[in-house]
Amino acid sequence: DPYGVVQAALAEARALAVIVRTNSTVDAMEPSEGNGFVVRLAGGEEIRANWVVNAAGADARRAAGVPHRAGAR
């Protein structure tokens, strides 16, 4: 049950005060001074985070800005 697994992981993350953002278009992401990242969303909002999870599925490489190479897996 993949849906149930994701829901359980989400509930555990939220219990640990993790903020989960979905359906948010990221314009840029770069290392912040010190630790973590600065994530700039399409609407201009900036989020500072110690950890960022790229859950774009099959588009994860493109979403992360990694160029596609023929034959790459």
Side-chain angles (χ1 to χ4, degrees):
D1 176 21
Y3 179 81
V5 170
V6 169
Q7 293 306 306
L10 180 58
E12 181 67 22
R14 288 185 171 148
L16 296 170
V18 171
I19 298 170
V20 177
R21 297 286 298 258
T22 60
N23 299 314
S24 298
T25 302
V26 174
D27 279 345
M29 184 173 75
E30 53 195 48
S32 68
E33 292 184 25
N35 293 326
F37 301 91
V38 176
V39 180
R40 290 185 183 83
L41 301 181
E45 181 182 1
E46 284 190 358
I47 300 170
R48 298 189 185 282
N50 291 329
W51 295 88
V52 176
V53 176
N54 176 350
D59 290 329
R61 293 177 67 84
R62 183 180 57 80
V66 176
H68 175 74
R69 293 181 309 155
R73 294 179 187 242

